[in-house]
Amino acid sequence: MAEDTRNYRLKISPPLLNSASPWATTIEQIKELYECEHTGAVTIRTSLLEGFAEDPSIHQYIYHNNFSVPAGSLVNYDPKPTLHAPKNNHQHNHEDTSSSQTSTLNTLGYSPITLSEYLGHINEIVGQRHLGTNIDVPKKPFILSVTGTPDEIAMAYALIANAAEMDEDLRLAMEVNLSCPNIAGKPPPAYDAGELREYLGALGDSKATYRGRMAGPESEVRVGVKLPPYTYSGQFEMVAKELAHAKSSEPGEGSVVDFITCTNTLGSSLILDADLKPALNSESGTGIGGLAGAALHPLALGNVATFRRLLDQQPETRDILVIGVGGVEDKGGVERMRSVGAGAVGCASALGRFGVGVFAKMAS
C-alpha cells in the first residue's frame, strides 16, 4: 500500500481500537481497553443523554457460524444490577465463542449508562495519571459514541467539549451513531440524505460554537459519524456528497466531519435455532437483528474501499479518517482493512470472543 499522506485531524496511534459495543460498557472494561498497549483509542458504547431502557429479555446477542447456533448458545446479561452489561467476555469460555462461532447477531439497543456518567468514568480513569498510578499510559483519545435527535447531539457535543475544556489531559472525540438497525420504528438516519444533512448541520454549528475555546488542536473535540452498511453506488455517493457539502467554519479544514466509522451491523438479519425458530428475542418480536463478525467482513471491506475512493475525490473530504470495522480479529484482517484505505481499524465481535488480548493478535 502506498504511503498515506492524508492529514487526519483525529490521531489514532497505534491505529487499532475497539468499536462501540457491549464490551465497552462498564468502567472496568473501558479502563482495560485504555491501558492496553496495542490500542490507540478507546470507543465507548453508544449512549444517550438520559440513558437507554435496556431489557435483557429482548436486547440480546449470540455467536454463530453464519448459518445456525448450537444449543445453549445465547449470551445473556450479567445479573449484577450495577454493571448493566453482558458477561465479561474477557474471561468467559462459552461454547458459542469457539473457533467456528466467528459471527454475531444482536438485537441490542444502546447503553443504559448516560453520557454524563461516561464522562465521569473517563475523568476517573485519566485522573489516576495525576495520582501517579498509571503515568506511563499515553494520552489516547476516548471516542464517545452518542445518538439521539440533532438537538440532543448538539447538547452531547456541548457536554463533551466542556469536559475537554476543563481538563487539558483529556483527548475526547464524539462519534454520532446514525446506524443502529435494532430500534423499532427508527430506521438508521444515515440512509436518508435529508436526515443526514440535518445531523451534519448540527455538528457544524456545535463545532463552530466551541472553536477557539480549547487549549490547542489536540484538545479540540473531533467528530465523526458511524455509518450503516451500504450496498449500491447511489448510497455511497449520497453520503460522500453530504460530507463534502457540510463545510467547516475553519478556513482550509474541509468537512465538519473528522472521521467516519464503517461499518455498523447489517440489519434485517436472522439466525434460526435447531427448531427453526428465531434464535433471539427482539423489540419487534421477530428476532431480526444486526449481523457482525466474520460474516460482515467482505461487505465492510467494500464499504471502506468505496468511501476512501469517493472521499479522496474531493478536497473537502480527503482528510477524513476512515475507521474500518467489521469482522477483523487478527493481523490479516487489519492488513486487508489498511490496504483498502482504513486509517485505523476497529473490532467488536472479536473483542467479545478474545478480550483485549485480541489487539495483540491484530498488532503482531
Side-chain angles (χ1 to χ4, degrees):
M1 181 180 177
E3 182 182 358
D4 193 342
T5 59
R6 300 174 191 85
N7 182 29
Y8 297 132
R9 297 187 293 272
L10 176 64
K11 312 296 184 184
I12 300 177
S13 180
L16 300 177
L17 70 163
N18 66 297
S19 60
S21 71
W23 304 286
T25 300
T26 68
I27 187 172
E28 295 83 5
Q29 292 169 328
I30 296 165
K31 185 174 185 289
E32 189 174 11
L33 288 162
Y34 184 72
E35 294 179 348
C36 175
E37 64 178 310
H38 300 294
T39 60
V42 176
T43 308
I44 294 173
R45 187 178 179 186
T46 303
S47 62
L48 300 164
L49 292 175
E50 302 297 331
F52 179 76
E54 191 172 66
D55 181 350
S57 69
I58 57 174
H59 300 126
Q60 303 174 334
Y61 68 95
I62 51 170
Y63 284 85
H64 59 91
N65 64 4
N66 304 340
F67 297 102
S68 61
V69 295
S73 65
L74 177 64
V75 182
N76 232 321
Y77 284 87
D78 193 312
K80 298 176 184 177
T82 57
L83 291 185
H84 302 294
K87 289 182 178 179
N88 187 337
N89 285 281
H90 300 195
Q91 285 84 37
H92 79 55
N93 59 356
H94 293 297
E95 62 177 303
D96 54 349
T97 58
S98 68
S99 59
S100 65
Q101 308 299 316
T102 58
S103 300
T104 58
L105 184 77
N106 83 81
T107 56
L108 296 168
Y110 307 118
S111 176
I113 299 174
T114 67
L115 174 60
S116 293
E117 289 175 302
Y118 275 133
L119 288 169
H121 290 343
I122 291 171
N123 275 315
E124 182 175 339
I125 292 169
V126 176
Q128 293 178 4
R129 178 189 305 275
H130 302 300
L131 298 176
T133 57
N134 67 348
I135 58 175
D136 294 329
V137 177
K139 296 178 184 178
K140 61 182 70 173
F142 287 96
I143 301 175
L144 290 125
S145 182
V146 300
T147 195
T149 66
D151 286 344
E152 289 169 338
I153 294 304
M155 293 175 63
Y157 186 90
L159 283 173
I160 297 170
N162 283 330
E165 186 180 7
M166 292 175 63
D167 189 342
E168 63 181 18
D169 271 349
L170 294 184
R171 297 290 179 265
L172 302 180
M174 184 176 79
E175 173 191 86
V176 184
N177 186 345
L178 302 180
S179 51
C180 180
N182 296 333
I183 308 301
K186 296 182 180 179
Y191 283 123
D192 182 271
E195 289 193 65
L196 179 58
R197 189 177 307 127
E198 189 175 358
Y199 278 96
L200 295 179
L203 289 175
D205 291 343
S206 297
K207 290 183 74 174
T209 298
Y210 283 87
R211 188 179 299 280
R213 290 173 52 173
M214 304 302 169
E218 278 194 343
S219 62
E220 182 175 344
V221 176
R222 299 301 181 180
V223 300
V225 290
K226 188 172 188 179
L227 299 172
Y230 298 105
T231 57
Y232 63 91
S233 59
Q235 294 175 314
F236 294 99
E237 292 164 0
M238 177 272 290
V239 175
K241 178 181 177 181
E242 294 301 329
L243 292 175
H245 285 179
K247 294 182 180 178
S248 171
S249 61
E250 182 73 2
E253 192 166 283
S255 175
V256 300
V257 170
D258 302 298
F259 67 96
I260 61 173
T261 303
C262 61
T263 173
N264 204 340
T265 58
L266 178 64
S268 300
S269 300
L270 180 64
I271 293 292
L272 303 179
D273 62 18
D275 297 321
L276 301 183
K277 303 293 184 182
L280 294 178
N281 292 328
S282 65
E283 281 191 19
S284 63
T286 62
I288 290 175
L291 181 70
L296 188 65
H297 191 57
L299 182 59
L301 282 174
N303 272 246
V304 170
T306 302
F307 272 120
R308 186 69 274 163
R309 175 175 56 82
L310 291 174
L311 295 177
D312 284 349
Q313 292 176 4
Q314 301 294 329
E316 295 87 355
T317 55
R318 187 177 185 277
D319 291 336
I320 290 177
L321 170 70
V322 177
I323 300 175
V325 179
V328 177
E329 64 175 38
D330 55 22
K331 181 181 178 181
V334 173
E335 290 176 340
R336 288 189 292 273
M337 278 290 186
R338 298 277 281 172
S339 73
V340 298
V345 181
C347 73
S349 296
L351 175 61
R353 291 176 67 209
F354 302 112
V356 295
V358 72
F359 294 106
K361 290 179 59 179
M362 293 167 65
S364 60

